[in-house]
């Protein structure tokens, strides 16, 4: 059977993520409707507002094809590309090719990735090597181009549809960025300006996602609070 449908650790992708992804695609490309409302859940529920529906993530374009024929290729491809980004980042940092290759392979085979390979939040988690790479470049260069690229990777992390993963992603890339700024004794004022410029561009671009999410969060319910489930 499909790697996506195989329950490795969690049934979430098959019974929750896939129906939302499919619905978002159908609304946008078959009915020309903005994916704001999930009308198939009881009397209706927010679709875009839950953020996890991730209707604008590039991976949702897989629904243009025969989904079950291409999804496993996507799952493996995104892991491979993330491993290559680890390799590229470490080579950029001066690590030898063998050490960088081993690190990339170790990253791809880590238990958190192999056990949860079919989870949608890996669309965000696997961006971490690219994030620290681009933010590291932004810390070292004075041009505005790295600011734009850093904003784009932050936008992609929001489009991935997992608030927790995005929060961790932002924490890690922010810490690495300012560690680089202060360790290399770069222009601190300029570093803060570039950081807020990237954050501002990203925030503006994803406001269509964040505003419905903020509205939904006030009255939403989940099974994560302490003492529940």
């Amino acid at each position: 059977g499909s790697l996506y449908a195989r329950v490795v650790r969690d049934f979430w992708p098959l019974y929750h993520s896939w129906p939302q992804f499919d619905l978002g695609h159908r609304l946008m490309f078959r009915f020309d409707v903005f994916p704001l409302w999930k009308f198939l859940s009881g009397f209706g529920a927010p679709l875009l507002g839950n953020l996890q529906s991730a209707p604008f993530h590039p991976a949702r374009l897989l629904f243009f094809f025969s989904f079950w024929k291409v999804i496993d290729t996507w799952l493996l491809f995104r892991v491979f590309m993330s491993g290559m980004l680890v390799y590229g980042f470490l080579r950029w940092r001066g690590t030898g090719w063998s050490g960088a290759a081993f690190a990339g392979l170790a990253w791809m085979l880590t238990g958190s990735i192999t056990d949860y390979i079919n989870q949608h939040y890996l669309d965000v988690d696997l961006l971490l090597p690219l994030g620290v790479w681009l933010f590291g470049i932004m810390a070292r260069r004075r041009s505005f181009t790295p600011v734009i690229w850093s904003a784009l990777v932050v936008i992609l992390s929001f489009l991935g549809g997992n608030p927790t993963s995005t929060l961790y992603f932002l924490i890690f890339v922010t810490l690495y960025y300012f560690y680089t700024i202060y360790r290399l004794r770069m222009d601190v004022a300029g570093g803060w300006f570039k950081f807020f410029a990237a954050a501002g561009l990203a925030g503006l671009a994803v406001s269509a996602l964040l505003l419905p999410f903020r509205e939904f969060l006030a009255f939403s319910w989940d099974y994560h609070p302490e003492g529940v489930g």
Side-chain angles (χ1 to χ4, degrees), residues 87-103:
Y87 173 82
F89 168 69
L90 291 177
R91 290 290 287 163
W92 174 73
R93 293 284 291 122
T95 307
W97 74 266
S98 58
F102 181 81

Side-chain angles (χ1 to χ4, degrees), residues 6-227:
R6 188 175 303 157
V7 178
V8 181
R9 287 280 188 180
D10 198 340
F11 61 84
W12 193 261
L14 183 61
Y15 294 104
H16 184 272
S17 300
W18 179 80
Q20 291 198 125
F21 297 160
D22 183 55
L23 176 61
H25 174 82
R26 288 173 184 269
L27 288 174
M28 286 192 292
F29 296 105
R30 295 192 183 184
F31 299 104
D32 297 323
V33 175
F34 193 74
L36 189 63
W37 193 248
K38 185 166 54 174
F39 57 86
L40 297 178
S41 297
F43 293 104
L47 180 65
L48 188 65
N50 68 19
L51 208 63
Q52 293 189 16
S53 60
F56 301 115
H57 191 271
R60 303 296 87 81
L61 296 177
L62 294 174
F63 283 92
F64 277 118
F65 308 96
S66 178
F67 179 81
W68 295 106
K69 291 183 179 180
V70 298
I71 184 59
D72 287 355
T73 302
W74 164 250
L75 297 181
L76 296 173
F77 175 76
R78 68 180 183 176
V79 173
F80 172 76
M81 286 304 300
S82 187
M84 292 301 296
L85 288 169
V86 170
Y87 173 82
F89 168 69
L90 291 177
R91 290 290 287 163
W92 174 73
R93 293 284 291 122
T95 307
W97 74 266
S98 58
F102 181 81
L105 183 62
W107 169 260
M108 288 188 288
L109 296 179
T110 186
S112 180
I113 293 176
T114 56
D115 282 3
Y116 297 97
I117 191 171
N118 58 347
Q119 294 285 344
H120 75 281
Y121 56 73
L122 284 188
D123 287 335
V124 181
D125 292 351
L126 293 174
L127 286 174
L128 185 58
L130 179 61
V132 295
W133 194 354
L134 290 176
F135 271 72
I137 293 174
M138 183 173 70
R140 288 169 168 81
R141 296 184 183 176
R142 295 182 179 273
S143 67
F144 199 73
T145 301
V147 175
I148 297 175
W149 283 108
S150 297
L152 287 174
V153 74
V154 172
I155 292 169
L156 197 56
S157 74
F158 277 100
L159 296 181
N162 191 278
T164 305
S165 292
T166 299
L167 176 62
Y168 290 147
F169 173 85
L170 294 177
I171 289 173
F172 282 126
V173 297
T174 299
L175 289 176
Y176 180 76
Y177 175 77
F178 284 108
Y179 166 77
T180 302
I181 289 287
Y182 284 95
R183 183 180 66 86
L184 298 181
R185 302 178 185 232
M186 308 292 290
D187 177 15
V188 175
W192 278 97
F193 173 79
K194 289 185 293 184
F195 177 80
F196 281 116
L201 289 173
L204 184 63
V206 300
S207 59
L209 293 175
L210 293 180
L211 294 178
F213 174 71
R214 176 66 183 85
E215 184 71 18
F216 178 45
L217 194 63
F219 58 89
S220 65
W221 177 90
D222 64 76
Y223 52 80
H224 290 297
E226 183 179 354

